[in-house]
């Protein structure tokens, strides 16, 4: 009889901690341990993808697409599963109390909700049960429940006022069957599986299913797994879906692809918060919290299998295959099968982030896995994690953190660089006035300005005293800002007469009378989802981060400052100059303190000429800006002594001279036009040089700006994080066996196995005394590589 | 001199060889002019399975040897030339020693920059949208001089 283990973990916590430490692994990550005793030989776990078509409707807007989930199959020669034991590691603490007698074990009613509404919140604090394993022998139906309930293990907190707001409510993966192949499930679920560490699950009694038409999920019948004979298949059957390692994930809205999440598995994140929040909030606004699962926890003595200790001793004595049949006590409720969820990605040490198979190989290659069953030859991609006598993966022991920080942990101490809220500036100085005007109001004003008689008394006064001067000179600018009004400043509550120098016009408008606040444009978490290797390749020189900022272009970010951090993009607008300032703060490890990694200013205000002088000034500014940008970039390029960069600089020489000539007053009239029309192309070319130069520069943030806010309107208006990382192929080519991984730590050689090279070996010979010639040969061998 | 012939299927750089004993002879003699490091041994035997033997142990020297050549000198007399296997011969002291390990097959210091690691030119890209979108505003800003009079 053989035995292997399946360890389910909190993916977010584990990913954050990188599985580096046994102690952390045991106390923070593990949520469930399953032990499977089986007889048979050449057992292997195969991960197999199932692709599904689906439609999804929010507020009568239909989304269609497909996604792929993966099932794990245990295959082997003459495999029989003898027992399936469950060992909980997490102590469930009921923080909020059980207010309803209809539910037990951490189920509570939401504040302010009536029983009929049955908002059920499961709350788990991440406390570890220090007692020994509680073993559970389960029947096959219960095995299914175990699988489908796994996502709920990751609940951590309950929204404080979730009866009025969705907040962080996330919905668990178990689904409610409404009709054949129609499930209540939303993309929220998938997002939840990646964001679980700060989420809660809101579940609802399934008896009110008739009210949930808007949230239905239609899945096509699953494809049949083609290559594994049914008599060899365990853990999950053809109808079982387990987990949601998403792939091939497409959102379509009314036929148009809106979100393409067809990325490699480790990259799959649903970033469309609007959709998520909207679906949740809509539901909560209706007072009918989203419902995806039935009353799995009830007063029934046969339910609550997962939590009720009296059910921990059920006997399992047959194969758990075909375990997708819903347990009787849940009526029409369906589940996702008997497989084991995987919502994550591989790492150098473990097969999949939150589903760890120990003491059994895991492969994605069905054909090679079948061959393994017959011949014993492991698949080329097989990952085999052995445990020691303590049940701890040996590989993890090898990667225990050391004080030198080679485990990838960072010594970070950040005092928050707080963004101020200034109260004094051009807007409040009193010398100028900034009026907020609609297009119609401006037309009225201009008509008054150019054509209406401003009053004979004023005219005569001005003729004799010039007290009003040239009114045109009192208009400093007329600008358009393609951003929310609140970004421009605080607005007076009343309409005021527009002042033109000393002249109080009869035209009125609201006025900006206070400085704007810094506005958070967006944030993105660059945590472990973007660490692909857990090695140095995730860092400087190998993995690069850039960010696209509306109106500013693409800017390189310092990898060392943004990896493993949350980025927040702030902006503020200075109406007086028409400039916008971007501030990007990095919050390492998702902490509360952040530091500025980039600050760049770019034009956003579009100046609209209302006099000839305005137009001339605008064009001159345009040319001067072009010259400055070109000049600075050429300086940058020139500092990089590479042929490509130099060539690129030469190639733009014409543009440079054109821009320079444009700044010459004698050529201004002609060259201003040249600069205006070629400005965008110039910036594009210059940007290319700058970007290329940056790749060879030290890791310093830099920006490539637009000339005017006018042009930025035609560029994307949201932020984009651009990540590129290399492809490392060190597993299939035997790199570790023939070259070895870098280590540079002292070891007693008897503790090592495999290829090893030593640095300046030293040996005390206590047995046979070698000759000098032998010692020299021995040391040479140890330096070049020996096999232990 | 006793000499034991083996078949060695382990890599020559393996410290602890996996050996299969072929035969032990008690009549070995060290050829004049050879050394303990590269000895040539004469063995009287009717036959030596040349296709199997590639390793030997000489207890008198307390050393293991790779067999270079096996020559039939004349009938029932064989010449076996070897070179000392310092790894297997001194494996006890080797394994008991503590060394600074430069490279290792299984133990890895992930965050040391390994410039030998094969990194292909193929790059993987991701472009992730986030944040709010800049919106079109229905207002224009008129800036005028004249901030004194109200």
């Amino acid at each position: 009889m053989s035995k292997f283990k399946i360890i389910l973990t909190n993916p977010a916590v584990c990913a954050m901690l990188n599985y580096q430490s046994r102690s952390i692994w045991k106390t923070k990550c593990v949520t469930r341990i399953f032990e499977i005793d089986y007889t048979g030989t050449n057992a292997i776990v195969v991960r197999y993808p199932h692709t599904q078509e689906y439609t999804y409707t929010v507020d009568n807007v239909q989304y269609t697409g497909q996604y792929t989930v993966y099932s794990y199959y245990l295959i082997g020669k003459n495999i029989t599963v003898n027992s399936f034991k469950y060992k909980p590691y997490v102590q469930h603490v009921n923080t909020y109390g059980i207010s309803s007698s209809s539910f037990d074990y951490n189920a509570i009613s939401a504040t302010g909700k009536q029983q009929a509404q049955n908002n059920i919140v499961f709350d788990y604090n991440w406390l570890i049960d220090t007692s020994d394993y509680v073993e559970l022998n389960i029947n096959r139906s219960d095995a299914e429940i175990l699988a489908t309930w796994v996502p709920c293990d990751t609940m951590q907190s309950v929204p404080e006022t979730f009866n009025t707001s969705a907040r962080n409510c996330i919905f668990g993966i178990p689904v409610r069957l409404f009709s054949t192949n129609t499930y209540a499930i939303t993309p929220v679920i998938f997002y939840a599986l990646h964001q679980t560490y700060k989420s809660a699950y809101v579940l609802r009694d399934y008896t009110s299913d008739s009210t949930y038409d808007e949230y239905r999920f239609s899945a096509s019948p699953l494809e049949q797994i083609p290559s594994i004979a049914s008599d060899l298949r365990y853990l999950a059957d053809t109808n079982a879906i387990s987990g949601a390692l998403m792939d091939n994930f497409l959102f379509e809205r009314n036929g148009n692809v809106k979100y393409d999440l067809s990325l490699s598995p480790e990259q799959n994140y649903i970033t469309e918060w609007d959709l998520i929040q909207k679906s949740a909030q809509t539901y909560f606004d209706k007072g009918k919290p989203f419902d995806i699962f039935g009353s799995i926890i009830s007063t029934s003595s046969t339910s609550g299998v997962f939590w009720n200790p009296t059910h921990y001793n059920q006997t399992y004595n047959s194969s758990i295959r075909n375990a997708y049949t819903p347990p009787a006590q849940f009526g029409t409720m369906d589940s996702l099968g008997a497989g084991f969820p995987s919502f994550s990605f591989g790492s150098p040490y473990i097969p999949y982030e939150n589903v760890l198979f120990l003491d059994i190989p895991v492969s994605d290659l069905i054909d090679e896995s079948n061959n393994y069953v017959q011949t014993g030859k492991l698949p080329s991609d097989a990952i085999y994690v052995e445990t020691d006598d303590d049940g701890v993966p040996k590989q993890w022991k090898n990667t225990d953190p050391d004080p030198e920080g080679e485990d990838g942990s960072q010594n970070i101490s950040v005092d928050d660089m707080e963004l101020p809220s200034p109260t004094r500036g051009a807007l409040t100085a009193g010398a100028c006035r900034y009026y907020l005007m609609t297009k119609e109001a401006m037309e009225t004003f201009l008509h008054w300005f150019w054509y209406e008689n401003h009053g004979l008394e004023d005219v005569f006064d001005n003729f004799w005293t010039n007290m009003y001067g040239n009114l045109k000179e009192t208009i400093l600018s007329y600008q358009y800002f393609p951003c929310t009004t609140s970004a421009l400043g605080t607005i007076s509550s009343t309409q005021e007469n527009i002042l033109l120098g000393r002249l109080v016009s009869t035209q009125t408008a609201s006025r900006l009378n206070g400085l704007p606040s810094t506005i958070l444009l967006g944030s993105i978490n660059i945590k472990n989802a973007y660490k692909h290797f857990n090695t140095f390749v995730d860092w400087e020189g190998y993995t690069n981060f850039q960010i696209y900022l509306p109106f500013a272009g693409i800017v390189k970010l310092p990898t060392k400052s943004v990896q493993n951090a949350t980025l927040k993009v702030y902006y503020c607008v200075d109406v007086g100059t028409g400039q916008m300032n971007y501030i990007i703060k990095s919050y390492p490890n998702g902490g509360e303190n952040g530091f500025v990694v980039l600050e760049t200013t770019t034009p956003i205000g579009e100046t609209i000429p209302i006099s000839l002088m305005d137009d001339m000034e605008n064009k001159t500014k345009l040319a001067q800006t072009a010259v400055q940008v070109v000049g600075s970039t050429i300086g940058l390029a020139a500092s990089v002594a590479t042929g490509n960069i130099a060539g690129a600089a030469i190639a733009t020489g014409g543009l440079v001279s054109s821009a320079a000539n444009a700044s010459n007053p004698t050529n201004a009239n002609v060259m201003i036009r040249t600069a205006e029309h070629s400005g965008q192309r110039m910036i594009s070319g210059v940007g290319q040089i700058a970007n290329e130069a940056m790749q060879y520069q030290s890791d310093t943030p830099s920006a490539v700006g637009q000339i005017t806010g006018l042009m930025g309107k035609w560029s994307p208006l949201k932020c984009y994080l651009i990540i590129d990382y290399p492809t490392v192929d060190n597993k299939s080519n035997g790199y570790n066996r023939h070259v070895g991984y870098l280590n540079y730590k002292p070891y007693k050689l008897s503790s090592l196995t495999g290829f090893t090279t030593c640095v300046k070996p030293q040996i005390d010979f206590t047995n046979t005394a070698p000759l000098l010639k032998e010692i020299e040969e021995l040391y040479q061998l140890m330096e070049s590589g020996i096999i232990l | 001199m006793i000499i034991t012939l083996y078949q060695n299927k382990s890599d020559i750089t393996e410290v602890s060889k996996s050996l299969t004993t072929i035969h032990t002879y008690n009549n070995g003699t060290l050829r004049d002019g050879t050394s303990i490091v590269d000895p040539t041994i004469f063995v009287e035997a009717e036959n030596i399975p040349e296709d199997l033997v590639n390793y030997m142990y000489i207890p008198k020297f307390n050393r293991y040897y790779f067999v270079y050549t096996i020559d039939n000198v004349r009938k029932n007399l064989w010449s076996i030339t070897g070179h000392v296997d310092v790894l297997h011969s001194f494996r006890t002291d080797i394994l008991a020693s503590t060394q600074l390990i430069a490279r290792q097959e299984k133990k890895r210091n992930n965050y040391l920059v390994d410039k030998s690691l094969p990194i292909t030119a193929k790059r993987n890209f991701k472009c992730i949208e986030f944040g709010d979108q800049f919106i079109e505003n229905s207002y224009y800003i008129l800036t005028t001089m004249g901030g004194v009079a109200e």
Side-chain angles (χ1 to χ4, degrees), chain A residues 542-576:
Chain A
Y542 298 90
T543 296
N544 302 309
F545 292 89
Q546 298 179 94
I547 191 169
Y548 171 82
L549 299 171
F551 304 101
I554 295 176
V555 183
K556 191 176 188 308
L557 296 172
T559 302
K560 61 178 178 291
S561 299
V562 302
Q563 182 67 281
N564 257 10
T566 296
L567 287 186
K568 292 186 179 179
V569 179
Y570 299 90
Y571 76 95
C572 54
V573 175
D574 179 15
V575 172

Side-chain angles (χ1 to χ4, degrees), chain A residues 490-665:
Chain A
T490 57
I491 304 168
S492 62
S493 57
T494 57
Q495 297 272 309
E496 299 179 12
N497 290 88
I498 296 174
L499 288 182
L500 295 173
R502 294 180 181 179
L503 180 65
V504 180
S505 77
T506 58
Q507 305 301 304
T508 62
S510 297
R511 186 163 66 90
L512 296 177
N513 57 6
L515 296 184
S517 301
T518 301
I519 292 179
L520 176 64
L521 183 59
S523 67
I524 187 167
N525 192 334
I526 311 180
K527 298 191 73 175
N528 292 280
Y530 306 114
K531 288 180 70 177
H532 298 92
F533 307 100
N534 278 328
T535 70
F536 66 95
V537 181
D538 289 325
W539 293 87
E540 204 58 60
Y542 298 90
T543 296
N544 302 309
F545 292 89
Q546 298 179 94
I547 191 169
Y548 171 82
L549 299 171
F551 304 101
I554 295 176
V555 183
K556 191 176 188 308
L557 296 172
T559 302
K560 61 178 178 291
S561 299
V562 302
Q563 182 67 281
N564 257 10
T566 296
L567 287 186
K568 292 186 179 179
V569 179
Y570 299 90
Y571 76 95
C572 54
V573 175
D574 179 15
V575 172
T577 62
Q579 301 284 306
M580 173 173 61
N581 191 40
Y582 276 115
I583 302 167
I584 300 180
K585 287 180 70 177
S586 173
Y587 294 78
N589 297 323
E592 294 182 352
N593 291 347
F595 63 99
V596 174
V597 293
L598 174 77
E599 187 166 350
T600 184
T601 300
T602 187
I604 184 173
E606 177 184 340
T607 300
I608 303 161
I610 57 175
S611 70
L612 181 61
M613 186 60 70
D614 284 347
D615 192 37
M616 292 293 290
E617 287 181 359
N618 290 343
K619 301 302 177 358
T620 304
K621 281 182 185 175
L622 187 68
Q624 289 172 342
T625 306
V627 171
Q628 289 168 2
V629 173
V630 171
S632 63
T633 307
I634 295 305
L636 175 65
S639 66
V640 181
T642 66
N644 288 338
I645 301 302
I650 292 169
T652 58
L655 292 174
V656 175
S657 61
S658 295
N661 287 337
S663 65
N664 183 338

Side-chain angles (χ1 to χ4, degrees), chain A residues 398 406 430 433 435 437 474 476 479 499 521 542 721 724-725 735 740-741 744 755 757 762 768 774, chain B residues 62-63 99 101-105 107 109 111 114 123-124 128 132 140-145 147 149-150:
Chain A
N398 297 343
E406 286 87 348
R433 301 253 163 167
Y435 297 103
M437 304 186 74
T474 65
L476 297 182
Q479 292 177 287
L499 288 182
L521 183 59
Y542 298 90
L721 182 70
D724 74 275
Y725 58 96
Y735 179 83
Y741 297 128
Y744 281 92
F755 181 80
T757 67
Q762 299 171 353
T768 304
E774 291 175 313
Chain B
N62 198 19
R63 281 168 171 79
Q99 306 293 342
I101 303 303
R103 290 185 176 273
Q104 224 285 321
E105 179 176 335
K107 290 190 180 297
N109 193 333
Y111 291 88
D114 186 354
R123 304 289 291 183
N124 304 284
I128 303 149
D132 299 328
Y140 297 79
I141 302 297
L142 176 68
T143 307
T144 69
M145 293 293 291
E150 288 290 347

Side-chain angles (χ1 to χ4, degrees), chain A residues 29-43:
Chain A
C29 298
V30 174
T31 63
R32 298 282 183 271
I33 294 180
F34 301 96
E35 276 191 5
I36 294 91
D37 288 340
Y38 66 97
T39 53
T41 57
N42 293 353

Side-chain angles (χ1 to χ4, degrees), chain A residues 136-139 142 302 305 310-316:
Chain A
L136 168 64
N137 296 321
I138 55 176
N139 63 32
D142 297 329
T302 58
V305 61
T310 62
H311 293 278
Y312 281 2
N313 296 315
Q314 296 186 43
T315 301
Y316 169 81

Side-chain angles (χ1 to χ4, degrees), chain A residues 296-314:
Chain A
I296 193 167
I297 296 180
S298 74
T299 53
S300 167
S301 60
T302 58
S303 62
V305 61
F306 209 49
W307 315 121
N308 192 332
T310 62
H311 293 278
Y312 281 2
N313 296 315
Q314 296 186 43

